[in-house]
Amino acid sequence: MSTPPQSQRTQVAIIGAGPAGLLLGQLLYTAGIDAVIIERQSPEYVLGRIRAGILEQITVDLLQEAGVGQRVAHEGTVHHSIELVFANTRHPIDVTGLTQGKVVTAYGQTEVTRDLMEARQAAGLLSVYEAANVQLHGFEGDRPRVTYEKDGRTHALDCDFIAGCDGFHGICRASVPPGAIREYEKVYPFGWLGILADVPPVSPHAVVYANSERGFALCSMRSLTRSRYYVQCPIDDKVSDWSDERFWDELRRRLDPDLAERIAVGPSIEKSIAPLRSFVAEPMRFGSMFLAGDAAHIVPPTGAKGLNLAASDVKYLSNAFIEHYHEKSEAGIDHYSQQALARVWRAERFSWWLTSLMHRFPDTAGFGQKIQEAELDYLVRSESMSRSLAENYVGLPLDFGMGAGT
Ligand code: RFL
Ligand code: PHB
C-alpha cells in the first residue's frame, strides 16, 4: 500500500516562482492572505535566467506596494527617452515629454526576482523549490488541491484558489480541458540572440531599437557598467554559431556609424537565443484556478512588455483575492479574466506592431523594407504617432477600460 500524501492547507496555492508568482505571494502577504509557492526548479536556477530589463512605472509602483521597492529605487536607472535607428540615422523619442512625465526604469528581472525571494524568506513564508510532478485537482469546483513530489514523498496542498504563474511551458494551462480554452498564436520566423557583457552602455537612452537591412538590433543596459545587446538571427541558429567577435561585428553593422564607433566591447558573460512568439489563452480563469503572466500570454520582447504584463495581471488578481477575503465580494474574481485580457491584448497589439516595424521578414525584402522606412519616418515626424509609441512604451494605465466588445 502506498503512503498517503502529507497534506497541508493554505488560502492560495501559487504555482511558479517567477516574477508573477513571487510578486503575487508578496502582495497577498502584505494583505494578510496566506499563500504557498510551489516551484519546479531550484532558487539558483530561477535566478540564473537572464531575461527582461525594462520596468514600467506601474511595475516599480507595485514593487513599492509589495514592500520590495527599496533597491529598485536606488539601483534602477530611470530613463526619459528611447532611440530609434533606421536608414543609418538616430532619432530620439522623448517618452517623458510625450506622456506628461512618465518614465521607464532599467532594472534586471533577475534583480526583481532576487528582491522578492529575499523578502519572502525574511518573512518566513513557505516556498517549495524543486517540486516534481506538480498536479492540479478539483479546480472546476471550490475545493482544489495541488499535489507534488519532493524528497521521495508525495505532498498535497489543499487551498481555496490556485494561481497558475508557471510560465509558458507550465502545468496549469495544460491542465485545462481543451474545450474550455481558446488559444491565439503567432510565431515569428526569426529569433533574438542576446548577450550580457560588463561594458558601459553605448547610449544614455533606455533602449536603442535599430532597423537595418541586415536585421534588427537592440542596445539596452542593466547598470552603468553592464550592457545587454540583441541581434535578430535566423530561428535555427545555435549559440555556438556566434563567437563574441561575430556578435559585436554584426551589432556594429546594424547601428548608425556614430554608435557603432562608440560601442565598448568585451567578453560575453551570458549568450542565448530566444524565439519570438505572440500567444494568448482565453479565458484566464477556470473555476478556482487563475492564470497569470507567461502562463496565459507571451509577447515578442520588442515592446518590453512581458514582465510588466505579469506584474499587472497579479495586481488585478491580488485585488480580486483581497476583495474575496476582506470584503466578501466576488466581483474582482468574476471580472479578473476580462480585466486582465483587456490589458493583455493592448500589449499584444503594441508588441506585434513594434516587432513588425523593426525586423527584417524573410518574405518582404525590398517593398517591406521601404514601407517600414516610410512608417518610421512618419513616426518620428508626427507628434501624435510618437505619442502613441510613448504612451504604450511607458505602459497604459491599469484602469484604461475593459476592452473591445464589452
Ligand atoms: P516565468 O518567469 O517563466 O516563471 C514561471 C515559473 O514557473 C516555473 N514552472 C513550474 N513550477 C512548478 N511546476 C511546474 N510544472 C512548472 N513549470 C514551470 C518555472 O520554473 C518558472 O520559475 O513566468 P512569469 O512569472 O509569468 O514572468 C514572465 C517574464 O519572465 C517574461 O514575460 C519576461 O521575461 C519577458 N521579457 C521581457 N519582459 C519585460 O517586461 N521587459 C523586457 O525588457 C523583457 N525582455 C523578456 C525580455 C523575455 C525574454 N526571453 C528570454 C523570452 C527579453 C527576453 C530575451
Ligand atoms: C532588455 O534589456 O533585455 C530588453 C530591453 C528592451 C526590450 C527587450 C529587452 O524591448
Side-chain angles (χ1 to χ4, degrees):
M1 217 174 72
S2 62
T3 9
Q6 275 189 341
S7 75
Q8 276 182 304
R9 206 193 136 72
T10 188
Q11 290 175 303
V12 182
I14 300 175
I15 316 300
L22 286 165
L23 181 58
L24 178 63
Q26 203 60 24
L27 290 169
L28 294 181
Y29 166 66
T30 56
I33 297 169
D34 189 42
V36 172
I37 298 186
I38 301 175
E39 163 65 48
R40 179 166 63 178
Q41 306 286 359
S42 68
E44 298 72 36
Y45 183 95
V46 170
L47 280 175
R49 291 189 295 228
I50 308 293
R51 289 186 173 174
I54 297 293
L55 307 184
E56 296 173 354
Q57 188 59 47
I58 291 169
T59 305
V60 174
D61 292 346
L62 272 173
L63 293 173
Q64 303 286 0
E65 188 182 326
V68 294
Q70 260 169 320
R71 214 155 64 86
V72 64
H74 285 111
E75 295 176 27
T77 316
V78 172
H79 286 283
H80 304 281
S81 54
I82 60 171
E83 194 161 56
L84 302 180
V85 175
F86 60 94
N88 274 330
T89 313
R90 294 158 62 191
H91 300 271
I93 305 279
D94 172 13
V95 291
T96 300
L98 289 161
T99 59
Q100 294 170 321
K102 294 195 177 141
V103 297
V104 291
T105 300
Y107 189 68
Q109 177 166 333
T110 329
E111 306 309 315
V112 172
T113 310
R114 189 190 309 281
D115 294 345
L116 287 162
M117 271 183 182
E118 285 178 3
R120 192 162 176 85
Q121 199 172 12
L125 303 171
L126 179 61
S127 310
V128 182
Y129 283 93
E130 298 177 275
N133 193 21
V134 174
Q135 290 186 16
L136 277 48
H137 312 267
F139 60 82
E140 54 294 337
D142 58 3
R143 288 176 174 272
R145 166 175 258 213
V146 177
T147 56
Y148 60 94
E149 287 160 22
K150 167 112 185 157
D151 301 329
R153 297 209 54 168
T154 301
H155 302 256
L157 183 61
D158 293 304
C159 53
D160 301 328
F161 301 108
I162 298 172
C165 302
D166 53 348
F168 183 64
H169 300 287
I171 189 66
C172 292
R173 192 181 73 252
S175 302
V176 175
I181 191 163
R182 176 139 188 221
E183 297 180 348
Y184 301 84
E185 185 172 44
K186 177 176 174 62
V187 178
Y188 298 84
F190 42 73
W192 277 20
L193 168 69
I195 74 163
L196 195 64
D198 277 330
V199 291
V202 66
S203 163
H205 300 282
V207 182
V208 178
Y209 292 95
N211 172 308
S212 92
E213 278 179 1
R214 299 182 64 87
F216 171 74
L218 186 157
C219 310
S220 181
M221 61 180 294
R222 290 294 175 271
S223 70
L224 295 176
T225 55
R226 182 168 284 189
S227 301
R228 179 79 165 150
Y229 294 110
Y230 301 90
V231 292
Q232 173 185 355
C233 67
I235 190 68
D236 37 19
D237 269 17
K238 305 277 169 287
V239 171
S240 55
D241 299 332
W242 287 85
S243 65
D244 286 0
E245 291 66 34
R246 181 176 172 208
F247 179 88
W248 291 118
D249 186 45
E250 188 59 44
L251 178 63
R252 279 201 207 92
R253 296 170 82 170
R254 296 183 187 193
L255 300 174
D256 73 291
D258 177 45
L259 275 182
E261 201 190 346
R262 283 199 286 113
I263 206 156
V265 306
S268 61
I269 50 177
E270 197 264 356
K271 195 187 281 168
S272 50
I273 294 181
L276 267 70
R277 184 194 304 271
S278 300
F279 172 88
V280 182
E282 291 192 352
M284 287 171 61
R285 175 195 179 182
F286 307 89
S288 45
M289 195 267 278
F290 299 79
L291 298 177
D294 279 16
H297 41 75
I298 296 286
V299 283
T302 325
K305 288 285 165 255
L307 170 60
N308 292 300
L309 272 187
S312 53
D313 284 356
V314 302
K315 171 62 176 164
Y316 294 137
L317 189 54
S318 62
N319 281 353
F321 290 149
I322 291 166
E323 276 179 46
H324 170 85
Y325 286 111
H326 295 182
E327 295 160 30
K328 308 276 173 255
S329 160
E330 302 308 297
I333 280 179
D334 289 340
H335 286 127
Y336 168 70
S337 178
Q338 189 187 358
Q339 187 177 37
L341 281 166
R343 193 162 202 277
V344 166
W345 277 113
R346 291 180 185 118
E348 290 285 346
R349 184 210 65 80
F350 175 66
S351 306
W352 160 82
W353 169 74
L354 199 55
T355 302
S356 311
L357 184 62
M358 298 308 294
H359 290 75
R360 232 8 6 106
F361 285 73
D363 53 342
T364 55
F367 183 78
Q369 165 85 17
K370 284 292 187 188
I371 292 291
Q372 283 180 342
E373 284 179 14
E375 186 166 1
L376 282 161
D377 179 64
Y378 176 50
L379 169 58
V380 298
R381 287 172 200 276
S382 153
E383 189 179 309
S384 46
M385 197 162 171
S386 295
R387 194 185 306 284
S388 167
L389 167 67
E391 75 176 2
N392 281 278
Y393 201 77
V394 299
L396 295 173
L398 284 169
D399 59 358
F400 199 70
M402 280 295 220
T406 58

